[in-house]
Amino acid sequence: MIYIDGIGMKFLVNEIKNEILNYRVSKIYQYDKSSLSLFFGRQNLTFIINNKNTIFYLKDTKDDNTDFQSKFLLNLKKTLLNSKLINITQSGFDRIIYFQFEKLNQFGNLEKFDLIFEIMGKHSNLFLTEKNKIISSIFTASLDEGNRVIFPGSMYTPPFEKTKLSPMQLTSDDFPFTSGDDFLAAVEGSGKIFANEVYNNYNKFSEYLKNYLPVIYKQEKGRTLTYNVFSEFSAFEYDTYSTINESLNIYLNVSFKSSFFNSKKNNIIKFIDTHLVKNRKIIQNIKKDLDKNSNYQKYRNIGDILAANMHLLRHDIKEIALFDFYNEKEITIKLDPSLSPNENLNFYYNKYNKAKRTIENLNERLPKIEEEVDYLEEIKVFVNNETDIIGLEELENELNIKQKRKIKLNKKIKREILSYQFEDFTILVGRNSRENEEISFTKGNSNDIWLHIKDLPGSHVLILRENREVPDSVLLYAANLAGLYSKSGIGDKVTIDYCEKRFVKKIKKSKPGNVTYINYKSTDVVIKNIQT
């Protein structure tokens, strides 16, 4: 959580002004519908607008530009590129920030524009205005929101709010207030945490109004960034920073990567689950069709019986009783009175041939769909076990998941295969199908020990023995890794198969990492966590 109320916002505005005032806008990037950057040379003024973290700050790093386009971005580029930032002001102590720009147009006339950032939780917005008239906004708002018209072309008016006392007007005579809520209702720009901290202490209020100490509290369920030390968080440890902007870079860099990582992981899991549901439904339907057509031989038998009794068939009969020489009993065969005897005969033979082809096609298709389900289940294990953004991107590529936007958090393209060292042995662990394939058929020697959990999706594990005997302790350690990097969980008792790598064979025309193996032994382990 970021807690920067109107009081803290005043400090942040001053920090930003000291860095970029009188600089010109050189580039404008919009990354998605809720984040963008204005570049002043190398300075990156970033705006983030979402329910959890709505803030602006000078970002230490430069994100890659994207092909994201919007009407708001086009208007920003048209009006603000090459303009000079001449001032940043705050509306009193409200969380409404005005970024004021000016530039000469093609006729040599001075034009002035305001970028107005309203930080108001889920109602936050960013407006581009000229002479107080709205040109565009990052979010399309309703015609009537809070009794104000905020469509392009209308005059910009701040959100209506009850008039409150400016903190600058308060004196010691105004203290104490009866409660934090009373202070919150009366004083402009105060948040609840600030109000509870100072409502009965003028000296602390005066100190917090003049000085600040950016901190990030370390809580059990996350972190909280604030602009001062507050007693509400006294139970938690915290780190201090020299500026609010520095603390925002630390906080948002970690939060963004964590949020982006979890979002990417969830999207891959959603993709896999969707295809698993689809393929399992196909398997269910195939089995129904196989069951439905399982007695297809009877249609040929009926055709043979009719062929042997063609002299008894004629037009205009709906059924006929004939001797079934296959089962040695009399049966009644239904006929279509509108068809000739030969046509009724062909009807049953055609039905037989169609059912036979259906059975053959279904029997050919079923194992392919079942293999796809096994493959997706294994990929899902890899995704759940993944702790690296690069690994998720590799899995996305393997699944051919197209990304609307590419965010590069690391220029590294390919990782080294995960390895463990135990009792002077190196043990390799695959984290996706490509690595499994590499471990099984590229890495190591033919007499190295290959391991895999029995009958469940999981990683291929390889003990690089270097022509040494593998002690039982090393084998059990590697077996535990094979269980740990599988669909099973810590505490589960599982069976691990192992053999020399030369007995592992790739199944032709199958998915990557899909193998068969012979001459193997098995061992049981109870999966334990391992420190890397």
Side-chain angles (χ1 to χ4, degrees), residues 288-426:
K288 284 182 180 179
D289 288 342
L290 284 171
D291 184 62
K292 178 181 176 182
N293 292 282
S294 60
N295 293 325
Y296 70 95
Q297 185 64 41
K298 72 178 182 180
Y299 299 120
R300 179 176 179 177
N301 293 349
I302 291 173
D304 291 344
I305 295 168
L306 289 175
N309 294 276
M310 287 294 288
H311 61 287
L312 298 176
L313 301 183
R314 65 177 188 273
H315 283 286
D316 303 327
I317 60 173
K318 294 182 179 180
E319 59 183 34
I320 187 170
L322 297 172
F323 181 72
D324 179 357
F325 44 77
Y326 286 105
N327 298 299
E328 297 185 347
K329 64 179 182 180
E330 188 173 273
I331 60 171
T332 300
I333 300 173
K334 292 184 178 181
L335 301 172
D336 186 338
S338 65
L339 300 179
S340 69
N342 276 331
E343 288 172 335
N344 271 306
L345 176 67
N346 289 333
F347 170 79
Y348 280 101
Y349 279 140
N350 289 338
K351 198 167 185 179
Y352 161 76
N353 288 325
K354 182 180 178 181
K356 182 182 178 182
R357 288 193 302 271
T358 298
I359 291 289
E360 290 172 348
N361 291 334
L362 292 175
N363 282 327
E364 183 180 348
R365 190 181 181 202
L366 181 59
K368 293 179 180 178
I369 303 299
E370 289 175 333
E371 180 189 335
E372 180 70 17
V373 167
D374 291 342
Y375 169 74
L376 290 170
E377 287 281 11
E378 187 166 72
I379 296 295
K380 188 174 180 179
V381 170
F382 296 146
V383 175
N384 284 323
N385 288 336
E386 191 55 72
T387 58
D388 188 349
I389 196 73
I390 299 170
L392 292 182
E393 289 175 349
E394 289 176 349
L395 290 165
E396 280 181 334
N397 292 334
E398 184 175 334
L399 292 167
N400 292 318
I401 299 176
K402 295 181 179 179
Q403 295 301 302
K404 294 180 180 177
R405 170 192 170 194
K406 201 130 185 172
I407 305 175
K408 294 182 180 178
L409 297 179
N410 196 322
K411 293 182 179 179
K412 192 175 179 183
I413 298 174
K414 182 180 177 181
R415 302 175 297 175
E416 293 296 322
I417 287 179
L418 180 63
S419 66
Y420 288 81
Q421 298 295 323
F422 185 75
E423 294 185 8
D424 202 30
F425 281 83
T426 299

Side-chain angles (χ1 to χ4, degrees), residues 30 56 97 105 155 183 259 271 332 344 357 365 476 493 527:
Q30 186 170 357
F56 65 94
I97 314 300
N105 62 20
M155 300 301 292
F183 184 95
S259 174
F271 177 90
T332 300
N344 271 306
R357 288 193 302 271
R365 190 181 181 202
L476 288 174
K493 185 177 181 180
I527 303 173

